[in-house]
Amino acid sequence: MGADGIRSTVRQALFPGEGEPLPGGDVLWRGTTYAKPFMTGRSMLMVGDSTQKLVIYPIAPPGDDGTQLINWAIQRAAHVEGVPRGDWNQRVGVEKVLPHVEGWHCDELDVRALIADAHQVLEYPLVDRDPLPYWSTDRVTLMGDAAHPMYPTGSNGGTQAVIDARVLAYALANGLGLKFYEEQRRPVTGNVVLANRGDGPEVILRLTHERAPHGFGDIEDVMPLAEREEIALRYKKLAGFEPATLNARRSWSVSSRPH
């Protein structure tokens, strides 16, 4: 089983000439900061366009001091030298990120202060790999980032890896083998990889900016709710978690059996 990440040794053995992960041209900076809750205290904030994007959401309830742990990520079209592709753990100083948020204004949140107070900042040039023609041999297969590394657009990489594990367990428990597992998972994840290169569901941000580059008073005048819902539903269907699709297909649960 090759479940060893974007630099998978197992994948390299199956495809020795594939080479390095493919750069997308954008850089992602991630961090966490203890700060006062914003909006409802449970809100997720996504702002930006095709050249810069900010995602912020809390990952813990407020503590006794009234602050909560907030996760943030900044994606920016920027060239970065000397950073290994496919390594989430490259630390950089916060001063490297602050120039990229100068002038950003959110009514509910001081973005610059949030970044400046971060415990640490991790830098990651966006990379992925092309979908593969196959994952499996008679006795070996791939899953997770080893099989389908993708941009974090749509927050879907980890989800797809979990589904891989469930389908693989189902296939093995029911004597269906690796062929069944790959038939169920490889086409779906390949489509998600390619969709994420085109902004996935976050294409809403790009389209809104293109239509209203100087801002707007009412989002309905720029992109009606029906259009937003259609974009979200299209991605859900592609990624395999649209409710009607989930309710119609078989369950991947594996029941434990007595020996």
Side-chain angles (χ1 to χ4, degrees):
M1 166 59 65
D4 48 344
I6 192 171
R7 293 185 170 276
S8 168
T9 300
V10 179
R11 180 172 175 141
Q12 186 178 22
L14 294 176
F15 299 92
E18 185 177 31
E20 288 286 297
L22 304 173
D26 286 8
V27 176
L28 199 68
W29 290 285
R30 292 180 178 270
T32 55
T33 306
Y34 281 98
K36 292 182 178 180
F38 65 95
M39 299 178 74
T40 66
R42 302 178 66 181
S43 299
M44 181 176 185
L45 184 65
M46 299 180 67
V47 296
D49 54 31
S50 59
T51 61
Q52 59 184 7
K53 189 185 309 177
L54 174 68
V55 180
I56 302 174
Y57 53 89
I59 54 177
D64 293 338
D65 63 353
T67 67
Q68 65 181 148
L69 189 61
I70 295 175
N71 185 71
W72 55 265
I74 297 171
Q75 183 176 327
R76 182 90 178 194
H79 183 66
V80 175
E81 294 284 357
V83 180
R85 299 180 193 171
D87 186 348
W88 282 99
N89 298 311
Q90 292 295 316
R91 295 190 181 190
V92 297
V94 68
E95 65 278 358
K96 188 170 186 178
V97 185
L98 288 176
H100 295 286
V101 296
E102 293 293 346
W104 285 28
H105 173 73
C106 296
D107 291 342
E108 298 283 348
L109 188 65
D110 187 336
V111 175
R112 192 185 189 284
L114 185 75
I115 308 306
D117 292 339
H119 173 65
Q120 67 178 20
V121 179
L122 303 178
E123 181 177 74
Y124 181 77
L126 252 59
V127 297
D128 67 2
R129 291 187 185 275
D130 287 331
L132 292 172
Y134 65 89
W135 289 355
S136 309
T137 66
D138 290 341
R139 303 175 66 88
V140 176
T141 194
L142 303 171
M143 66 179 294
D145 277 355
H148 45 74
M150 60 184 66
Y151 299 163
T153 307
S155 304
N156 213 4
T159 300
Q160 295 300 326
V162 171
I163 300 173
D164 287 350
R166 288 179 64 88
V167 177
L168 180 60
Y170 179 92
L172 296 179
N174 289 279
L176 300 171
L178 300 181
K179 184 175 184 293
F180 176 88
Y181 159 68
E182 183 173 331
E183 287 174 347
Q184 296 296 318
R185 296 300 300 145
R186 188 170 60 82
V188 172
T189 56
N191 288 337
V192 176
V193 169
L194 298 179
N196 284 3
R197 289 178 180 176
D199 289 334
E202 294 169 23
V203 69
I204 289 174
L205 296 177
R206 176 174 61 79
L207 292 175
T208 301
H209 177 73
E210 290 174 354
R211 297 174 187 180
H214 303 297
F216 55 87
D218 187 345
I219 184 61
E220 288 295 310
D221 297 332
V222 181
M223 183 177 290
L225 178 61
E227 183 180 2
R228 303 197 305 272
E229 289 179 335
E230 192 278 329
I231 291 172
L233 182 63
R234 186 167 64 234
Y235 186 78
K236 289 177 182 179
K237 288 181 176 179
L238 180 144
F241 53 84
E242 184 262 332
T245 302
L246 291 173
N247 292 332
R249 69 158 173 77
R250 75 181 79 199
S251 170
W252 301 124
S253 297
V254 178
S255 300
S256 59
R257 300 173 181 174
H259 294 290

